Amino acid sequence: DGGITQSPKYLFRKEGQNVTLSCEQNLNHDAMYWYRQDPGQGLRLIYYSQIVNDFQKGDIAEGYSVSREKKESFPLTVTSAQKNPTAFYLCASSIPTGGASPYGYTFGSGTRLTVV
Amino acid sequence: DAKTTQPPSMDCAEGRAANLPCNHSTISGNEYVYWYRQIHSQGPQYIIHGLKNNETNEMASLIITEDRKSSTLILPHATLRDTAVYYCIVRVGAGNNRKLIWGLGTSLAVNP
C-alpha cells in the first residue's frame, strides 16, 4: 500500500547536536512538507518542496534544513541553531498542481523529538 | 495566522450525529475548506474538502453556507473511535505557493 513513512518514531538527542528525521513516500507525489506541532497547537510549516531539487522556507524555517534529491525522500535536519527543538514533527505529501487534490495531503505518523 | 475559528472542545453521545462548526469569514472565492482529524500522537487524517457545494463521502458530510463564511462537518453516527481533534483548514495561495493554514481545532469527545 502507498503511504508516507517517517522514522524513527521517537528520537532523543543531546542539546547542541544536529539530528536528521527521515521521510519517505511511495505515492508518487511531487510535493512534500515538514510541519512542527507543539502541545495544544496547530501545525506550523517548516519547509516545503514542490519538485525535486527545489524547496522553500515555511513559517518557522530558522534552525532547520532540508534536501530533496529524490522525489520519494525529504529529510529534515534539526540543527543546533534551533532554540527549542523538542516537538512532534510531521511529514506530508500532496499533488501540487492542477485543481484541488482529491485527497488533500497525506501525512506520516510523525517523529517525536526530545532534546535533553 | 489561522483563517478559521472553531470551538475548542465538544462532546457527543455515541451513535448520535456530531456537528462541528467552523467560521472562515475572511475566506476568498478560490480558497478551499479542508477538514482533517488527528488522533493523539498520530498524523492528521484527511476527511473531506469543499469549495462551494455541500459534499459527502464515506466518512462525513460537509455543509458550506451560501456566503461561504462558515461550514459544518457532520459525522452522522459518531463512534468512540471518532474521538480526536478536528481541524478546519483553509488552503491559500496558488500554484507552487499553495499551503494549508492550520488553527487549533476542536477536540471532540465521543462518550458511551
Side-chain angles (χ1 to χ4, degrees):
Chain A
D1 288 340
I4 295 183
T5 301
Q6 289 187 242
S7 61
K9 190 168 180 65
Y10 298 96
L11 189 56
F12 295 87
R13 278 295 181 268
K14 291 183 178 179
E15 194 170 345
Q17 287 183 335
N18 291 357
V19 61
T20 297
L21 283 59
S22 170
C23 178
E24 303 279 333
Q25 55 99 0
N26 60 3
L27 298 165
N28 201 33
H29 284 172
D30 290 308
M32 297 186 74
Y33 310 80
W34 274 105
Y35 289 90
R36 169 183 172 137
Q37 187 174 34
D38 295 284
Q41 305 260 338
L43 277 64
R44 292 184 290 168
L45 183 63
I46 305 173
Y47 267 98
Y48 62 104
S49 168
Q50 300 285 0
I51 196 170
V52 174
N53 292 323
D54 187 44
F55 48 83
Q56 287 78 41
K57 293 182 179 180
D59 301 317
I60 55 165
E62 185 175 351
Y64 299 97
S65 65
V66 294
S67 63
R68 187 83 188 277
E69 297 176 1
K70 297 186 300 182
K71 186 176 185 177
E72 301 80 16
S73 178
F74 191 41
L76 173 74
T77 297
V78 184
T79 75
S80 57
Q82 169 50 235
K83 299 305 180 187
N84 186 20
T86 294
F88 187 50
Y89 290 88
L90 286 158
C91 180
S93 71
S94 76
I95 303 169
T97 58
S101 167
Y103 303 104
Y105 294 65
T106 301
F107 282 84
S109 56
T111 293
R112 188 166 298 280
L113 173 65
T114 302
V115 175
V116 296
Chain B
D1 295 336
K3 297 191 70 173
T4 63
T5 55
Q6 301 174 253
S9 62
M10 293 183 65
D11 288 293
C12 177
E14 187 178 18
R16 304 298 293 269
N19 297 293
L20 290 84
C22 179
N23 287 322
H24 31 80
S25 57
T26 61
I27 195 170
S28 62
N30 62 348
E31 293 176 345
Y32 284 78
V33 178
Y34 283 79
W35 283 83
Y36 283 77
R37 72 180 183 185
Q38 186 178 25
I39 297 170
H40 182 64
S41 293
Q42 296 183 22
Q45 176 191 22
Y46 167 83
I47 301 173
I48 200 166
H49 77 282
L51 182 63
K52 295 180 182 178
N53 300 321
N54 297 338
E55 303 288 345
T56 296
N57 63 20
E58 64 277 6
M59 291 183 69
S61 295
L62 175 61
I63 307 299
I64 302 174
T65 58
E66 193 169 342
D67 62 9
R68 301 211 327 120
K69 292 186 176 183
S70 65
S71 60
T72 301
L73 178 75
I74 301 172
L75 307 178
H77 305 286
T79 71
L80 299 179
R81 287 179 294 181
D82 291 323
T83 293
V85 178
Y86 287 78
Y87 294 97
C88 168
I89 303 153
V90 172
R91 191 182 69 171
V92 302
N96 291 340
N97 293 316
R98 198 172 293 161
K99 63 178 182 179
L100 302 178
I101 305 296
W102 295 76
L104 300 181
T106 295
S107 179
L108 175 68
V110 180
N111 304 310

